[in-house]
Amino acid sequence: MPGNTFGTLFRIHTFGESHGPAIGVVIDGCPAGLAIDEAFIQAELDRRRPGQSAIVTQRQEADKAHILSGVFEGRSTGMPIAIVIYNEDARSKDYSHIADKYRPSHADFTYDVKYGHRDYRGGGRSSARETAARVAAGAIAKCWLAEQGVRIHAWVSQVGEVKLEHPWEDLDMSFTETNPVRCPHPETAARMEALIREVRKAGDTVGGVVSAVAIGVPAGWGEPVFDKLHAELGKAILSINACKGFEYGSGFEGAYMRGSQHNDTFYRDAERRIRTRTNYSGGVQGGISNGMDIYFRAAFKPVATIVPAQESVNNAGEVAVVEGRGRHDPCVLPRAVPIVEAMTALVLADMGLRARLARI
Amino acid sequence: MPGNTFGTLFRIHTFGESHGPAIGVVIDGCPAGLAIDEAFIQAELDRRRPGQSAIVTQRQEADKAHILSGVFEGRSTGMPIAIVIYNEDARSKDYSHIADKYRPSHADFTYDVKYGHRDYRGGGRSSARETAARVAAGAIAKCWLAEQGVRIHAWVSQVGEVKLEHPWEDLDMSFTETNPVRCPHPETAARMEALIREVRKAGDTVGGVVSAVAIGVPAGWGEPVFDKLHAELGKAILSINACKGFEYGSGFEGAYMRGSQHNDTFYRDAERRIRTRTNYSGGVQGGISNGMDIYFRAAFKPVATIVPAQESVNNAGEVAVVEGRGRHDPCVLPRAVPIVEAMTALVLADMGLRARLARI
Amino acid sequence: MPGNTFGTLFRIHTFGESHGPAIGVVIDGCPAGLAIDEAFIQAELDRRRPGQSAIVTQRQEADKAHILSGVFEGRSTGMPIAIVIYNEDARSKDYSHIADKYRPSHADFTYDVKYGHRDYRGGGRSSARETAARVAAGAIAKCWLAEQGVRIHAWVSQVGEVKLEHPWEDLDMSFTETNPVRCPHPETAARMEALIREVRKAGDTVGGVVSAVAIGVPAGWGEPVFDKLHAELGKAILSINACKGFEYGSGFEGAYMRGSQHNDTFYRDAERRIRTRTNYSGGVQGGISNGMDIYFRAAFKPVATIVPAQESVNNAGEVAVVEGRGRHDPCVLPRAVPIVEAMTALVLADMGLRARLARI
Amino acid sequence: MPGNTFGTLFRIHTFGESHGPAIGVVIDGCPAGLAIDEAFIQAELDRRRPGQSAIVTQRQEADKAHILSGVFEGRSTGMPIAIVIYNEDARSKDYSHIADKYRPSHADFTYDVKYGHRDYRGGGRSSARETAARVAAGAIAKCWLAEQGVRIHAWVSQVGEVKLEHPWEDLDMSFTETNPVRCPHPETAARMEALIREVRKAGDTVGGVVSAVAIGVPAGWGEPVFDKLHAELGKAILSINACKGFEYGSGFEGAYMRGSQHNDTFYRDAERRIRTRTNYSGGVQGGISNGMDIYFRAAFKPVATIVPAQESVNNAGEVAVVEGRGRHDPCVLPRAVPIVEAMTALVLADMGLRARLARI
C-alpha cells in the first residue's frame, strides 16, 4: 500500500516531484459547507515558500495554489478538493552533475535501491518541496478547526546551540511572524538568525527544534490503542523531511520523574470544567484529548546539502565526490514552522471527525 | 475509523479488556508457509507477563496463547491467525472503589467523555494488559523477519536518573535477559533495580527510556512521504502505554549539529556493499532503510498508579480522593522491552511486505 | 492487503476455518452505548446454523456465540466486540480422502495454487461455515439499524425452476420464517421444498435466488463515485459463497427499458416528504439512498458438493475421482437468507455512520 | 471515509466536477519501471470521449490527459502518477434552469439531502464525466497487465430489446471498434445503432448490457472471504454510472441449474496445465482466479436525461417541471465499454499485486 496518503476521514493524497510539471494534493473527506478562504491558503503557502527571506533557499517559486475541484461558490461541496501548484523555477540542469551520485544523507541511494528508476532532479519526490502540498491541505484543515474553536501555533525553539529556555506559556506568539526565524522571543530570534547567517557563510547547515501547541481541542478527540492522538501526531511530524525526534507533554524529561510528581491531578475550575492542575500529560491521556493544551517538540537535523566536497559513491559503486551546487536552506527550521502546523491541523481535523463516531 | 488495527499488509486487529473474558489479536496478512513456533510465542509473552519478577506487578496471569485459526500442520496458511489469551486473575472487586472516580493521569476521564459508557475494571481497554496481544502478534512478525535475516533487540537504557551511558555498539545484548530490569550492562542494571525497589517502597513509580536496534534490515524498506519507516516506527512506539517521546538516529542531539558533521558519507566496504561511515541517519534516509542498523530511543513516563492519596474528581464532577490499591508496576520499563520489540517487528514485517511492490 | 475485513467505519474482521478450533469475528467501530441483545445474536445464528431442518446439511453445530470483549453491563463500549464460535462437530477424518484432490467448483485448486499450503479439512477457510461470523456481526449491525428505524427482509424467491412471481410489495414477510425454505409465499415454498427434496434424493444440488429489501433507510446514505451504496451492497452480497450475480432496482430488466419509462418522477406526499412515483432506482440514486425502499436480488449457483463421482485431478496433476461424502446442503438458499440480511445490515450500518461526516 | 478512492495496492483517487476547471486522478501504487505509453492513454480516453460519433452526446471535449507527476524518462518511478484533464466545453449556463430542480433519476435530490451544498452544473461530481479519470487510470493498469499477459475485452451485447445471442467465444473481438455501438457482431451492431437513432429521435434513451472477458489472468489472483475477485469486480462495475446489475460465469442462469450440470470438472491439457472442461465458474473459484477466462455481464439502465417534460419538485419542495436541454447520450452503452474495461483493469492490477503477498 502506497505511502502518499495521510489521514483516515479527513484524508489527503499528495503527488509531485521537485522538478516535474507540478506538485499537488487531493483532500478527500472535508465536510460540505465549509467556507474555503483561498487567500488564507495562499498566505500559508507564502509562509513556507522559498525566497521569503535572506536566511532560506533562494529558489524562486510563487507557489500559487490552483483549486481544481470540490469548491463551489466559495464553499466545500464534500467532494475531493484538488489543489495544484505548478513548478516554475525548475532548473533541471542544476542537478545533472549528481544524476548518478549519491548525496550523503539524502534519499538518492535508498530510492535507487528500492525503485531502480529515479527522478534525480532536485531529489524528485524526496525533496522538501513536497511539503507545500501538505501546507495547502493543512490550511483547509485549519479552516475547519477554527470553526471548532481550535487554534495551532508552532515556533522555532532551538537553532543549533541557541535555545529558547522560556516556558511556552510565557511567550507572546504574536512575535513569531515578526522575524525570519519564526521565534516568538525577539532577542533569542536575533541570536538564532546570527547563527544561521554564520553557518551559511561557511557553506554549512544547522539543525534545531520546533515547538507547537494546540489550544481549544475539546476533550474526547483521539482513539484508543494504536491511533492514539499523540501517536498520530508523532507519525505526522516525524514524516516531515529532516525530523529526527518527537516528544509531547513531559517528553524525554518524563523519564526522570516520579509518578507522584508527574501525575496531573483533577479539579473543577470556576466554570465547572474538569481541568488538571499540571499538564505533564500534554493534553492527552490514554491517547485521547482531555481538554488541556496539547504541546510537543520536534527535532530537526541539519540540512544535508552543504557546499564543501564530500566523499561518496555513484550508482555503479565507484568512489565519487559530491559538491553542493543547488540552492538550499542553511537551516530548515524557519520554513518547518508552517509545515508542523499543517501536519498538526491534519491530525486534529481527522480526529475531530473520528470523534463523531464514538457514540450511538 | 476505529483505532484497533495496526499495519497495512502485515496487519493486526486487537481486542479485549483488562477484566473481561479475554484479550486477543487477529493477524491478517501473514504470508502462507511460515513455520509458527508456538513455544516462541509463549516465551515472548512470558517476557511481558505480570508476576515474572519482584520488581513488576504481582497480578497473576499465565498469559497462555491459544491459536484459533490460520495455522495448519505447524505452518501459516495465509488466512487470519487469531490468538486468544483468557484473563484469569480478573478480580473486579479491586476496582469498584474507583468506578466513578477519575484516577489522575489515567484514561478514565477521557474515555468517559468520549464514550459515555466505560468498562472501568482495571482500566478496561486502556489497561496495558492490551499490549499482550501486541507481543503475541509481534512474535509471529519476528518469525517472518528471522527468515529475512532481521533481528531486533531492545533494552532499558534509563530508569529515573540512572542512565546507561555506553554507546550501544559496545554492549553485549546477551546480558539483557539476565537481570529483571532488562539492561544489558549488569552494573547499571543493579543500580536501576535498586532505584525501582526504593521507589516501590515509597509507594511511588518512576519513568525511563527503552533503546532498541534492528540489525539486518535490507536497504529499500520504508515508503516515501507519509509512511516513512521511522514515522511508522514512531507511531508504533508512541502508541505503547506511557510512551512520551521517540527519537531515532541522532534524535534530539541532531538539533545541535552542523550538516558537515551530521552527514553520513558513503563508501564501499570489503564486500563491495555500499555503507555509510557514520550512522547519524539511524539506518533510514528519506524514510527508507539504507542497510545500516536502525536504532531509536523511547521515553516512558512513570506509571500513574501510586499508593499515596491524590486529589481528583468523580464523574459527577465532585471532589474525590483516589488511592492506589490495585496491583501495579513501580516501573513499566522492564516489561516495556518485549512490547517495544514487538511493535518494531510489526512495523518491519509490514515494510518488508510493502517493499515487494516497489518494482514491476 | 488481506481480504478478511469488511466495512470502513462499522468494520468487521473475521477468522477461522471449518475444522479448526473456532471461527469468529471482531467488530470494530460499533458506537458506544448500544444495547447488545445476546439472545438476538443467537437467534440469528440459529437461522443460519446447520441441522435446523430436513433440507439442510446435517452437520451438528450449536453455533453458540461467545462475546469476549467490547460489551459491559449489556451495552457496547465503543471498543472492539470479539465474538467466537467454537467448532464442535469437526470430524476431520471425513475429509482425508480429498486432502490431495481438487473437488470440482470448490476452492481447493485455487487455494493450493495461491498459498501452496492449505487446510483441506472441509474446505478450511473457503467453507461457508465462515459466514456464521458474518451473521453474528450482522446481528449487531441490525441492533444499531433498528435504532435508526431501518429493517431488512430477505427471502428465497427462486429455487431452480420454481420462481416466486409475485411483486415483493404484495408479499407478507411474516410467512418467511414459517417454512424451512424461507419463502414468504407458502404455496411456492411448498413447491420449492419438494424440488429440494427431489434433488437431494438424486444426490444432486440446485441453485436459486434470494431477494431482499431494506425499509426505512433515510435519504443521504451512500457515497459518491466508487463507494456507491449499491456498489458496496453488490460487493457484500457477491462475497457470499456461491453467489453469481447481483441486481438492484430494475436490474437486468432495466436494460430493455426506455428512459421515459424508467425515470422515477418526484412528488411530495401527504406528509410533505419527497418521494418518487415509481422506484426503478431501487431506492438509490447516484449511489446515495433517496428514502425509498432499497431492493435487490442475488443469484446463487447449486452447491458444488454432490454425491455422484466426478472427474478431477489431484495436486500432483494426476487424474482422480471425487465422490461427495461430507455432509452438505442440497440447496444453499434457505441458509443464505440470514447471511444476505447480515451483509446488507453491515453495509447499511457502515453507510449510516459514514453519513455523519457529510457536513460541517 | 470518503468514497473517491478505488483499489488497495494499485490504488486510484479521482476528483473533479463536470463543469469545474478540471477532472483528474492520482494513481498511487503503480510499480516503478513501467513504460507509460501516453499515446495509449489518450487513445483510451478517445474511446470514451463525447462527440466521437453521431450516437453519443455532442458535448465537445478533447479530453487531453496531462501527466503531472510520477513518470520520468517515459517510465513510472513508483511515485503517484497524477493525470489532469481540463474541462473545455463547460457551458454552465446550460444548467442554470435546473439549479434548484431535482431531475428524475439523477443524483440532484440525494446530493442535496446529503451535502446541503451542491455543484449543480451538469450534475457536478455525479456526472458520468467523472469516468474519464477512471479510463486514464485504467490505461496505466492495462500497461502493467499487458506485461503479465492479461488482456481485457468488453463489448455491447444488448441495447434495449436487441440482444447479441452468440456465445462470446464465437465472436471476433476485432470487430468491436469498427462500429459506433461497439458490438463485435456487425449485423447486430447495425440493428443496435438503428434502435439508438430511433430512440434519440423520440427524445428518449435506452438501456443495455455490456459483456466483458479477461484472458490470460494467472491462477491465484483474488482474495478469500470479502475481497473475492468477482466481488471486487462487481463493486467496480456497479460503481459505474447507470449500472444496475452484475453477473459472472453462469450468473442468474446458474440459479436454474443442478450441481451435476454446473460443476466444472478438472483435467490436464496437452501442455499439462490444469483446466476445467466447462467454465460456469467464470474463471473464479472461491474468489480466486483458476486460470480460465473471466467473463461477466453488466446491465445499464437508460440515461435519465430525456427531452420530454417530466414532473418533479424543486429544493423548496414545490412542484416543478424538468425538461432535458443539456447535451446527453441517447444510450450510454457504447461509451461504457472502455469504462468497463478500465474498471476491470484496475481490479485485476490490484489483485495481481496483492497476489505477490500470498507466500513467504
Side-chain angles (χ1 to χ4, degrees), chain A residues 32-114:
Chain A
L34 183 67
I36 301 296
D37 182 344
E38 291 197 46
F40 175 66
I41 298 171
Q42 194 58 51
E44 289 289 278
L45 283 168
D46 290 348
R47 292 173 71 206
R48 196 215 70 98
R49 85 176 170 80
Q52 65 183 269
S53 78
I55 60 168
V56 305
T57 174
Q58 297 306 303
R59 178 173 171 169
Q60 292 306 316
E61 289 288 357
D63 280 358
K64 170 97 185 67
H66 300 266
I67 298 179
L68 298 187
S69 66
V71 179
F72 184 59
E73 298 175 344
R75 285 185 294 146
S76 63
T77 60
M79 303 299 115
I81 302 171
I83 303 179
V84 169
I85 300 164
Y86 296 98
N87 291 325
E88 294 169 353
D89 186 12
R91 309 187 208 158
S92 296
K93 277 176 233 140
D94 278 0
Y95 293 94
S96 56
H97 66 292
I98 49 112
D100 64 342
K101 290 179 194 167
Y102 298 139
R103 292 170 298 164
S105 291
H106 275 93
D108 302 343
F109 168 64
T110 54
Y111 272 57
D112 241 19
V113 168
K114 188 176 184 77

Side-chain angles (χ1 to χ4, degrees), chain B residues 4 17 28 70 72 76 86 117, chain C residues 4 17 28 70 72 76 86 117:
Chain B
N4 300 287
E17 283 79 41
D28 203 2
F72 184 59
S76 63
Y86 297 98
H117 175 58
Chain C
N4 300 287
E17 283 79 41
D28 202 2
F72 184 60
S76 63
Y86 296 98
H117 175 58

Side-chain angles (χ1 to χ4, degrees), chain C residues 75 131 152 175 257 321:
Chain C
R75 286 185 294 144
T131 57
I152 299 162
F175 284 110
M257 293 170 77
V321 172

Side-chain angles (χ1 to χ4, degrees), chain B residues 16-23 59 87 89-101 103 106 108 111 117-129 326-327, chain C residues 67-75 77:
Chain B
E17 283 79 41
S18 176
H19 286 62
I23 58 167
R59 178 172 171 170
N87 291 327
D89 186 12
R91 308 188 209 158
S92 297
K93 279 174 231 142
D94 277 0
Y95 294 94
S96 55
H97 64 294
I98 47 114
D100 65 342
K101 291 179 194 167
R103 292 170 297 165
H106 275 93
D108 302 342
Y111 272 57
H117 175 58
R118 177 171 66 90
D119 181 349
Y120 53 76
R121 300 167 302 169
R125 182 121 181 93
S126 74
S127 165
R129 179 143 186 75
R327 297 143 298 176
Chain C
I67 298 180
L68 298 187
S69 66
V71 179
F72 184 60
E73 298 175 344
R75 286 185 294 144
T77 59

Side-chain angles (χ1 to χ4, degrees), chain C residues 151-171:
Chain C
R151 47 185 214 279
I152 299 162
H153 298 294
W155 65 94
V156 175
S157 58
Q158 182 179 340
V159 172
E161 51 280 10
V162 183
K163 297 177 73 167
L164 178 62
E165 305 280 8
H166 302 64
W168 67 265
E169 294 89 341
D170 300 350
L171 297 169

Side-chain angles (χ1 to χ4, degrees), chain C residues 35-305:
Chain C
I36 302 295
D37 182 344
E38 291 197 45
F40 175 66
I41 298 172
Q42 195 57 53
E44 289 288 279
L45 283 168
D46 290 347
R47 293 174 70 206
R48 195 216 70 98
R49 86 176 168 81
Q52 65 180 266
S53 79
I55 59 168
V56 304
T57 175
Q58 296 306 304
R59 179 172 171 168
Q60 292 306 318
E61 290 287 357
D63 280 359
K64 171 94 184 70
H66 299 266
I67 298 180
L68 298 187
S69 66
V71 179
F72 184 60
E73 298 175 344
R75 286 185 294 144
S76 63
T77 59
M79 303 300 115
I81 302 172
I83 303 179
V84 169
I85 299 165
Y86 296 98
N87 292 325
E88 295 169 353
D89 186 11
R91 310 185 208 159
S92 296
K93 279 176 230 140
D94 277 1
Y95 294 93
S96 57
H97 64 292
I98 48 110
D100 65 342
K101 290 179 196 167
Y102 298 139
R103 291 170 298 164
S105 291
H106 274 94
D108 302 343
F109 169 64
T110 54
Y111 271 57
D112 242 20
V113 167
K114 187 176 185 79
Y115 297 106
H117 175 58
R118 176 170 67 88
D119 182 347
Y120 53 76
R121 301 167 303 168
R125 182 119 179 94
S126 73
S127 164
R129 180 147 186 72
E130 163 262 310
T131 57
R134 306 183 185 210
V135 170
I140 291 179
K142 281 184 175 184
C143 292
W144 186 77
L145 289 169
E147 302 221 350
Q148 322 295 314
V150 176
R151 47 185 214 279
I152 299 162
H153 298 294
W155 65 94
V156 175
S157 58
Q158 182 179 340
V159 172
E161 51 280 10
V162 183
K163 297 177 73 167
L164 178 62
E165 305 280 8
H166 302 64
W168 67 265
E169 294 89 341
D170 300 350
L171 297 169
D172 179 349
M173 297 301 170
S174 68
F175 284 110
T176 304
E177 294 294 319
T178 62
N179 61 76
V181 182
R182 293 201 167 86
C183 170
H185 190 260
E187 188 260 330
T188 309
R191 289 195 293 132
M192 288 172 170
E193 188 176 342
L195 177 57
I196 295 172
R197 286 178 182 275
E198 179 193 313
V199 158
R200 188 186 50 182
K201 212 168 176 179
D204 213 341
T205 59
V206 64
V209 172
V210 171
S211 296
V213 62
I215 298 169
V217 176
W221 288 15
E223 298 294 321
V225 187
F226 297 115
D227 295 357
K228 292 185 163 94
L229 176 47
H230 61 267
E232 292 289 356
L233 266 178
K235 176 180 164 178
I237 301 302
L238 285 159
S239 78
I240 300 172
N241 304 44
C243 185
K244 303 296 289 185
F246 171 89
E247 58 178 3
Y248 82 104
S250 59
F252 278 89
E253 282 305 305
Y256 293 92
M257 293 170 77
R258 300 297 181 272
S260 53
Q261 177 185 12
H262 191 282
N263 281 358
D264 298 319
T265 55
F266 288 105
Y267 72 101
R268 248 166 95 169
D269 71 6
E271 289 142 62
R272 304 186 65 79
R273 293 175 309 172
I274 295 177
R275 313 289 290 171
T276 62
R277 295 212 183 267
T278 49
N279 185 14
Y280 292 113
S281 297
V284 184
Q285 290 176 326
I288 300 169
S289 62
N290 67 355
M292 303 294 290
D293 294 340
I294 296 172
Y295 64 97
F296 62 84
R297 299 170 76 246
F300 288 84
K301 67 165 189 169
V303 170
T305 303

